[in-house]
Every structure is written in structure tokens, then in C-alpha cells.
Amino acid sequence: MSTTERPRILVVGGGYVGLYAARRIQKKMRYGEATVTVVDPRSYMTYQPFLPEAAAGSISPRHVVVPLRRVLPKAEVLTGRVTTIDQDRKVATVAPLVGEAYELPFDYLVVALGAVSRTFPIPGLAEQGIGMKGVEEAIGLRNHVLEQLDKADSTTDEEVRRKALTFVFVGGGFAGAETIGEVEDLARDAAKYYRSVKREDMRFILVDAADKILPEVGPKLGAYGKEHLEGRGIEIYLSTSLDSCVDGHVVLKNGLEVDSNTIVWTAGVKPNPALARYGLPLGPRGHVDTATTLQVQGTDYIWAAGDNAQVPDVAARKAGVENAWCPPNAQHALRQAKVLGDNVISGMRGFPQKEYSHANKGAVAGLGLHKGVAMIVMGKMKIKLRGRLAWYMHRGYHGLAMPTWNRKIRVFADWTLQMFLKREVVSLGAMETPREEFYEAAKPTPAPAAAAAPEKAKAS
């Protein structure tokens, strides 16, 4: 792969920023002006705000992902990981899914690796925890929760039942509050089809180290969200954290101890650790340090945005907030990607860079079917909504923010069908090990006991 014919714009990461930046670049680029190459371990982009609904079965998991090759038909999409970057030679090392790693030269670089779950060295967490950063985890959580109801319904052992029907969620931000709200809805609906499992038998626990949940929507709506979840029988423990969860035995710092087969970890995110191998200037928390133009500090050919970047919040600083940085959310990622794409084209053509500035428009969160909170910012006025209207705002905003009309239509079709059809509550846990049944069938069949006896006698 040579860059002798045309310059290469290498986009590292095919998430929200990577996808939209690549689309923007291709839209603004002249024919044959450059080659756009996108490298990501997955061949699709995941719209993460819809993961809680995918886990609850409100949206088909395939509809919350966008295939990169379909959306970027003119780009070169490589499935693999960029392990290192040599800035002096302008070469990236790519490790493909199979085969040996190889070097890929580039002229311009976009770093859009996103974030990964922020975890701590808590005993048992790596073995027991379930994250919520990818569609695979959302599918796995849904199957796992329904499988726990199957287990509880099939046994008379009270200890086994109690452990199966106890669900612990760690993290009270958007991801944690939305996921526990959606999963509780799912479990409540599913319990109607079990003879010996009722909602009253289940125990849902939400834990957060902060003194409130949903800080993104403000203290009043956060307090409403807490009251609403508690009204549905969800236990919420604030100002505490998880001490250990070895073999599913959950111990909190406040002294609470429970046994649970389901421990969902949504306690924040951190920049992708691979950034440390790229030789880029990083901020104190590991984010790529960028200027207001999204250019990496000290370079004129590298840009970064999204969850892996430390982007100055120009609008907040103009309003008097010192050292303000753009929060890691879809609202900023979408707008940063468009500015970044324009700036890459400008940099390639020798034009000035544009500064990224965006004032917060508010936040929306869904807490299950027909339940939500929303804070809409209109200038200096803040409109606070809760309940069904806020839920409509949540679905409307994210439905329209979903990339491509293909996916928008599919998501709205899922929601429309849900108005007339009951929620699917079937567990497909065997998806985790699809070959197990075939493997058992392919084993050599043991000789029948009656046939084996004469052979033994004959030998004697």
C-alpha cells in the first residue's frame, strides 16, 4: 500500500468520530484528491446510547450498529488494530485479524480510538463483571438476565434462586441508570411468563461512589430519577463503591453483602490505552491533548476528537468557566467529527483551521418504557422534562442522531412494532457457545453396555 500516487488520510478508529469524520472528508474531497483509510478491530460502528434499549429488546441489536464498508464505499476499510505510530516516518503499524503485522504509510492522521470501560483492581470484577460499551455486551446481558430467570424457575434451591434473581449495577451515570431501568422493565415483563418467578422475588441494586445519580441532567432531575427508580423497587446506594465480587459474592464499602450472578459495570470510561504507544502528547487522564482546532498539540497533520481527546470547551470558557473541556458524549462527538473533517481538508489544501466551539444543548435519558428525564438548554433558559414527554424527547433526539437513514428507519420501525407487539423475552444463551451441541453430537458413540458384555466374556 503506497502513498506515491495520492496522499493517504489514515483514520484510526471506526466509531462515531471516525465514521463521521471519514464521511465528511469524502464529501468535501475532490475526486482522486486523497485515499481515506479507516482501521478498526470491528467492521461496524456502534451507536452506544442505544445499548440499554438493545439489552432490553426494544431495538434489534443489528440496528444499533452501522457497517463501515456500506457507509464508506469509497474508503479503504481495514479490520485490525493500529499498534504503533512512527511520526518521523509517518508510518503506522497495523495488526490485522489474521497474519503478520504490516506498516501502512500515511500523510494525515485522525485519532478516533474512543474510550474503554474504566475499571479498578477489584477482586472478582474481571471474572464476574459485564460491561456496556459494545453491542456484544448488550446482547450478552439480555441473554444472561433471561437465563437467570430460567435458572430460578427450574430450581427449588432458595440460595440458587436468590443469587440468580439478584442484579447489581455499578455506576449511576447515563449508562448505569438507563441500563438498570431498561433491564428492570425487561425482567418485569418476562416474569409474567414464569410460574414460580415474580417481580417481588427479584432484587435490583444500583451503586455509585457519588452522592447522586444522573449528574448530566442536573440535581433536580437526578433526584427525580432516583425517586422514580426507587419507586420501582430498585435499591440505590450512593457514596459507596464495590469492594469485591469474588464468585459473585458482592461486598460494598457500606457493609452490604449479597450474592449475585449478574454484576454490570458502568462506572465511567477512560481513553483507549493504545494511545500510550502512539507517541502523542497526552493530558493528565490519558487523553490526546488537542488545540481548539482539534489538531494534536505540536503537529499540523494529526487531529483527534471524541472520547479519546482532551478538547478545550471554547463555549464554556467564553462563559467564564476556566479550564473547561468538552465532555465525552455523542452531542460533542458528532459536531467535532464534522469540524475535524473540514479541518483535514483545509490542512491538506493549505487553508486555515477552524476552531471547534459548541454550547451544550442539554441532555436526555430513558429509564425504561415511557419513562425518562430531559434537560433542554435554549440560550440562558433550561427546560426540564420528566416522565413520558422526556422519554419522547430521548427517543426523538437519539433516533434522529442515529447515523444513516437506513438505520434511522430500522430503529423507528422497531419502536413502531413495539407499540402493537409484546416484547420478546426469549433467551438465546446458546449463542455464546454455538458449536457445543454439534461438538457433543460429533463425539464417538460409546458401545452399548449389552454389546460390550459378550466381548468382555470372549476375551476372558
Side-chain angles (χ1 to χ4, degrees):
M1 301 177 184
S2 174
T3 57
T4 54
E5 295 183 2
R6 63 178 73 167
R8 171 178 274 118
I9 302 169
L10 176 60
V11 180
V12 182
Y16 214 95
V17 170
L19 171 66
Y20 266 102
R23 289 184 75 189
R24 187 75 170 187
I25 291 168
Q26 289 193 318
K27 180 180 178 181
K28 299 283 186 176
M29 196 170 58
R30 303 187 191 102
Y31 177 77
E33 189 174 5
T35 297
V36 178
T37 301
V38 180
V39 182
D40 194 275
R42 296 179 176 87
S43 60
Y44 52 84
M45 167 267 196
T46 303
Y47 190 67
Q48 293 180 353
F50 279 156
L51 290 181
E53 290 202 50
S58 298
I59 302 176
S60 170
R62 285 186 176 84
H63 298 166
V64 304
V65 298
V66 181
L68 296 177
R69 289 182 174 85
R70 180 172 180 173
V71 179
L72 302 170
K74 297 180 181 178
E76 184 181 46
V77 178
L78 305 177
T79 306
R81 299 179 185 274
V82 172
T83 55
T84 59
I85 291 175
D86 188 330
Q87 295 183 47
D88 295 330
R89 296 167 53 218
K90 288 190 176 181
V91 168
T93 302
V94 178
L97 288 181
V98 294
E100 298 293 326
Y102 57 87
E103 291 189 340
L104 186 68
F106 63 86
D107 297 274
Y108 305 95
L109 180 66
V110 175
V111 181
L113 281 177
V116 299
S117 295
R118 180 186 63 189
T119 59
F120 303 99
I122 298 172
L125 180 60
E127 295 78 16
Q128 302 292 325
I130 302 172
M132 274 296 286
K133 285 291 292 175
V135 68
E136 304 88 354
E137 292 171 318
I139 297 172
L141 176 59
R142 171 180 168 77
N143 289 330
H144 175 82
V145 168
L146 293 175
E147 189 177 354
Q148 300 313 302
L149 302 189
D150 290 340
K151 286 182 180 178
D153 191 51
S154 65
T155 182
T156 56
D157 188 319
E158 279 303 314
E159 187 176 338
V160 172
R161 276 176 56 87
R162 194 180 305 113
K163 189 172 183 179
L165 297 178
T166 300
F167 306 93
V168 179
F169 292 71
V170 184
F174 269 171
E178 288 187 319
T179 303
I180 197 171
E182 293 285 355
V183 170
E184 193 273 340
D185 255 2
L186 168 68
R188 184 185 295 272
D189 284 350
K192 299 173 185 176
Y193 303 97
Y194 290 87
R195 288 184 178 274
S196 63
V197 176
K198 302 290 184 290
R199 171 60 183 91
E200 294 74 22
D201 301 328
M202 305 177 202
R203 188 177 185 184
F204 283 86
I205 298 172
L206 179 62
V207 181
D208 197 281
D211 60 354
K212 57 183 174 294
I213 67 170
L214 294 169
E216 300 90 342
V217 295
K220 288 187 177 179
L221 287 178
Y224 165 78
K226 178 175 181 292
E227 292 173 7
H228 168 78
L229 293 176
E230 288 177 330
R232 290 161 59 182
I234 297 173
E235 302 172 36
I236 299 179
Y237 298 97
L238 302 178
S239 301
T240 190
S241 56
L242 181 66
D243 254 357
S244 69
C245 56
V246 177
D247 295 328
H249 183 68
V250 176
V251 180
L252 303 184
K253 282 195 181 297
N254 64 0
L256 179 70
E257 296 189 29
V258 296
D259 288 321
S260 172
N261 288 334
T262 310
I263 302 164
V264 183
W265 182 268
T266 60
V269 296
K270 64 180 180 181
N272 196 307
L275 294 171
R277 300 193 296 270
Y278 289 1
L280 302 172
L282 303 180
R285 294 180 298 166
H287 300 78
V288 180
D289 190 13
T290 73
T292 56
T293 59
L294 304 177
Q295 284 180 306
V296 175
Q297 295 284 9
T299 73
D300 59 359
Y301 65 95
I302 305 176
W303 293 261
D307 293 358
N308 70 178
Q310 179 179 273
V311 180
D313 192 336
V314 174
R317 294 186 182 194
K318 287 180 179 178
V321 181
E322 296 183 3
N323 298 321
W325 308 97
C326 294
N329 57 35
Q331 182 181 154
H332 278 287
L334 170 60
R335 291 167 174 81
Q336 287 174 2
K338 292 180 178 179
V339 173
L340 187 152
D342 290 345
N343 282 349
V344 170
I345 295 295
S346 297
M348 189 166 56
R349 296 174 183 171
F351 296 147
Q353 297 283 292
K354 179 182 177 182
E355 187 176 71
Y356 172 75
S357 177
H358 169 67
N360 180 35
K361 299 297 182 185
V364 291
L367 300 174
L369 201 59
H370 305 147
K371 302 171 279 282
V373 292
M375 180 182 66
I376 313 302
V377 180
M378 301 179 67
K380 294 184 178 181
M381 182 172 62
K382 292 182 179 180
I383 302 173
K384 299 176 182 180
L385 305 172
R386 60 190 191 181
R388 186 181 287 261
L389 183 56
W391 177 76
Y392 284 133
M393 293 291 296
H394 161 75
R395 282 201 162 180
Y397 173 79
H398 286 299
L400 294 175
M402 183 72 190
T404 78
W405 280 103
N406 179 294
R407 273 352 191 220
K408 284 181 174 67
I409 293 171
R410 291 176 185 271
V411 166
F412 278 102
D414 282 345
W415 287 338
T416 304
L417 287 172
Q418 194 182 47
M419 293 170 61
F420 305 100
L421 304 175
K422 292 183 179 181
R423 188 199 304 262
E424 288 287 352
V425 292
V426 61
S427 169
L428 298 176
M431 287 175 59
E432 309 295 330
T433 54
R435 292 190 63 254
E436 184 173 352
E437 187 172 345
F438 181 82
Y439 177 75
E440 291 295 328
K443 285 182 177 180
T445 305
E455 292 293 330
K456 186 175 180 181
K458 185 178 179 180
S460 60

